[in-house]
Amino acid sequence: MSHMLVIHGGAGAIRAPERYTPSLRRIVEAGARLLDEGAGALDVVSHCVALLEDDPLFNAGCGSVLNAEGEAFCDASIMDGRSLAAGAVAGVKGVRNPVRLARLVMETTPHVFMIGAGAERLGRAHGLAFEADSYFVTPARLEELARAKARGAVTLDHAEPISGKLGTVGAVARDGAGNLAAATSTGGLVNQMSGRVGDSPVIGAGVYADNESCAISCTGVGEQFLRTCLARRAALFVETQGLAAPEAAKAAVAYLMRRVQGSGGLIMVDRAGRCGVAHSTPGLLWASAENGTIHAP
């Protein structure tokens, strides 16, 4: 059976998108190799998002933006289309790979969503890697925060013209057995209020996966995706209207724009292995691998 992987590195007015192509290609190739070797979709999206978190080009993990207090707090989620099992974390600090912590929530606890210190304790108990503040709080991010504060702005990091770290990251996959999975991770908004949570860790808003329809990861202004439950809405276009992923992705973004003038986009793969990518922003960083064939625009 064919397999499909799509990853994204955020949406926005992207300057010099070719800067990101080598990283996107490297990461999607790593995921494609796993699929070629028979790995499951859940393992593949977890691995790809962890690699995106480790790349300072992207706003997740070590590339996370800073909040109004000058700190990096991360959110992440993961969902297994086989069983609708899901895990999510929000407001975690020092966790090298928040997506791995989200998976621990899913696989080792009776819960779906954990926050802050409690989630961090779970990660430490299971030996996850943690990093010092200096790993996240870089001079470039401090300068970006200072500019946002000077303007009194709370922004997507792609709104900073010299910033290279964009939006959210995510991955969706269909493996050789036909199973679907999705994962999303983010550092949030530049200069956001302490305690703010966007759509990325919210099941049905920033992420969704169901073997009966599709797998989805979103990126953009989280409040707009929360208000529209956009990931679940995109899945409903597949489930109730019979749309394929390309059409469902476009329909979901059209709804986002029509209802809340939303800024962002999404990637998805449906149960037949078809890929959908749509965005209301000028650009979206993404790459795909279909049965080992790489597409990295």
Side-chain angles (χ1 to χ4, degrees):
M1 187 176 286
S2 64
H3 50 73
M4 170 66 81
L5 168 66
V6 192
I7 66 172
H8 75 79
I14 301 165
R15 297 192 177 191
E18 63 276 6
R19 284 187 59 202
Y20 309 96
T21 301
S23 287
L24 292 169
R25 178 174 288 275
R26 170 181 57 83
I27 292 167
V28 82
E29 285 177 346
R33 285 194 296 272
L34 290 177
L35 285 170
D36 288 340
E37 294 165 1
L42 192 69
D43 289 336
V44 172
V45 299
S46 177
H47 182 68
C48 287
V49 170
L51 291 176
L52 287 160
E53 290 171 339
D54 288 341
D55 192 319
L57 281 174
F58 305 105
N59 175 20
C62 70
S64 294
V65 299
L66 305 180
N67 69 7
E69 307 300 321
E71 297 177 304
F73 285 90
C74 298
D75 307 334
S77 58
I78 192 166
M79 190 165 184
D80 186 343
R82 293 172 296 183
S83 62
L84 303 185
V89 294
V92 296
K93 186 178 181 184
V95 183
R96 182 184 180 98
N97 292 118
V99 70
R100 299 197 188 283
L101 183 53
R103 187 166 179 179
L104 274 179
V105 172
M106 179 178 72
E107 295 183 335
T108 69
T109 80
H111 309 308
V112 169
F113 202 164
M114 295 182 67
I115 65 170
E120 293 163 17
R121 283 194 294 271
L122 176 71
R124 293 185 188 280
H126 286 268
L128 285 190
F130 279 70
E131 302 289 347
D133 287 351
S134 58
Y135 178 78
F136 304 92
V137 183
T138 65
R141 283 309 194 194
L142 287 169
E143 291 172 9
E144 178 185 62
L145 176 63
R147 290 192 298 272
K149 283 182 174 293
R151 299 195 316 272
V154 178
T155 68
L156 288 171
D157 57 343
H158 60 66
E160 286 289 319
I162 66 169
S163 171
K165 303 168 187 176
L166 310 173
T168 309
V169 305
V172 296
R174 179 185 187 271
D175 62 30
N179 295 314
L180 301 173
T184 306
S185 182
T186 190
L189 298 176
V190 181
N191 199 31
Q192 68 184 17
M193 293 177 66
S194 179
R196 179 261 182 187
V197 177
D199 68 301
S200 296
V202 178
I203 308 305
V207 71
Y208 194 74
D210 184 349
N211 276 10
E212 294 186 0
S213 57
C214 57
I216 301 160
S217 175
C218 299
T219 175
V221 179
E223 284 73 10
Q224 297 163 349
F225 286 74
L226 285 165
R227 290 159 58 198
T228 54
C229 300
L230 200 74
R232 180 62 180 134
R233 181 165 292 276
L236 286 171
F237 283 125
V238 177
E239 294 172 19
T240 66
Q241 298 187 24
L243 298 186
E247 291 73 33
K250 292 175 183 176
V253 169
Y255 177 84
L256 177 74
M257 294 175 67
R258 179 173 63 84
R259 294 294 288 134
V260 296
Q261 297 76 53
S263 177
L266 58 85
I267 58 172
M268 62 189 296
V269 58
D270 64 28
R271 59 192 174 192
R274 294 165 296 201
C275 161
V277 179
H279 50 94
S280 63
T281 49
L284 189 150
L285 297 172
W286 66 282
S288 66
E290 183 175 9
N291 298 323
T293 299
I294 307 299
H295 179 65

